Amino acid sequence: MNDRPLTLMAVHAHPDDEATGTGGVLARYAAEGIRTVLVTCTDGGCGDGPGGVKPGDPGHDPAAVALMRRQELEASCDILKISHLETLDYADSGMMGWPANDAPGSFWQTPVEEGAARLAELLRRYRPDVVITYDENGFYGHPDHIQANRITMAALKMTAPTPKVYWTTAPHSMMRRFGETMREFGADVPEPDPAEAAAIAEIGLPDEEITAWVDTTAFGGQKYDALAAHASQGENIFFLKMGRERFTELMGVETFVRVQDTTGAATPENDLFAGLR
């Protein structure tokens, strides 16, 4: 097509996000010879510290946590064979409603235009053919995920058109299976009240609205190992309790909704690079 390699860029909020929703496609396309670029927007400093110490508790040092999580992120990238890691290193904003949301320098407090300008530089440098990020609600309402969507969509408007842009999502059928699996593995999942049930139902999309179903079963082991590389957050990573085989069974297809396209490739797709090769 031209003198540069086909390129996939995934824009994520925290260390470990790259593995959860896109570890399969990152590993698959790397194995197919496609250049893979990961942009991680925050330092992950609101994650668990050594021994599981929580943010705000005595002994939780966000700077030390960020350093530890950067090392884990690099290990995950090695496992997934990611070609290039770019970190914006904004301060982790924590979950919605946490005091960290309002901290100066947090990603949530960063003007969208500023973050978008930095990301636009990377878009110009790598000229990706496919860009992946979250939907407008950050999939489940996390402020840093929402901000990642905002800066990505703004940056795309600042640069030459990217052929294909996708948002990560999950089909409702998968969300139901996930809830059943959590209970199977002993997770304490109380029955939600009606308001919570309605909120959960809003996560993901009806199956018929998914525009890309990408089989990554062959890379389930890599995806599992990439998640396991984020060992400091293991308490929060339910998937690791399943073991590789069951994990791959449940997580062997990654799903997306296409929000920008210049190729005219028919949907539903089974390849994010349909129409590009």
Side-chain angles (χ1 to χ4, degrees):
M1 292 174 63
N2 50 39
D3 61 353
R4 65 182 179 84
L6 282 172
T7 301
L8 167 67
M9 177 182 284
V11 183
H12 280 292
H14 311 99
D16 78 21
D17 289 333
E18 79 289 341
T20 307
T22 58
V25 292
L26 286 165
R28 170 181 163 166
Y29 289 121
E32 293 179 8
I34 287 170
R35 181 173 62 169
T36 52
V37 181
L38 170 64
V39 181
T40 302
C41 296
T42 80
D43 61 11
C46 284
D48 288 357
V53 62
K54 304 296 182 184
D57 288 350
H60 187 278
D61 179 352
V65 171
L67 177 60
M68 174 177 63
R69 298 196 70 185
R70 173 58 185 261
Q71 294 166 345
E72 292 174 340
L73 177 62
E74 291 172 353
S76 173
C77 288
D78 286 343
I79 292 165
L80 297 173
K81 308 301 183 187
I82 290 171
S83 309
H84 300 275
L85 169 63
E86 300 285 351
T87 56
L88 301 185
D89 287 326
Y90 289 108
D92 190 340
S93 309
M95 299 296 286
M96 191 66 81
W98 286 16
N101 295 175
D102 301 319
S106 72
F107 191 36
W108 188 237
Q109 289 298 316
T110 299
V112 170
E113 296 76 12
E114 177 191 320
R118 293 182 62 194
L119 183 58
E121 291 181 10
L122 298 176
L123 289 171
R124 295 185 189 103
R125 181 189 310 169
Y126 291 107
R127 292 189 292 161
D129 302 278
V130 174
V131 169
I132 300 171
T133 192
Y134 314 101
D135 63 22
E136 293 166 311
N137 190 46
F139 186 60
Y140 67 100
H142 193 297
D144 288 330
H145 290 223
I146 294 170
Q147 189 76 329
N149 166 276
R150 290 173 177 172
I151 74 161
T152 301
M153 301 314 291
L156 288 165
K157 291 179 180 178
M158 296 176 178
T159 55
T162 296
K164 304 182 85 173
V165 179
Y166 295 88
W167 292 346
T168 58
T169 191
H172 286 168
S173 60
M174 183 185 294
M175 295 300 296
R176 287 192 294 272
R177 289 200 305 274
F178 178 56
E180 293 165 1
T181 304
M182 289 182 71
R183 286 185 284 274
E184 176 187 342
F185 281 85
D188 183 15
V189 185
E191 287 297 322
D193 65 30
E196 290 175 333
I200 292 170
E202 291 300 313
I203 296 176
L205 290 171
D207 289 35
E208 61 272 17
E209 294 182 21
I210 305 293
T211 57
W213 303 73
V214 184
D215 184 356
T216 61
T217 306
F219 304 93
Q222 271 177 269
K223 181 172 176 173
Y224 183 91
D225 290 345
L227 269 175
H230 296 280
S232 69
Q233 309 306 305
E235 181 182 329
N236 302 321
I237 303 176
F238 167 79
F239 303 107
L240 296 176
K241 298 178 182 178
M242 301 179 190
R244 281 181 182 79
E245 184 175 344
R246 194 61 188 278
F247 173 84
T248 299
E249 180 185 322
L250 184 67
M251 305 289 287
V253 174
E254 292 181 350
T255 52
F256 306 87
V257 59
R258 194 173 77 189
V259 295
Q260 182 172 306
D261 175 64
T262 63
T263 69
T267 58
E269 301 170 297
N270 59 15
D271 176 12
L272 302 184
F273 286 84
L276 291 167
R277 56 180 176 172

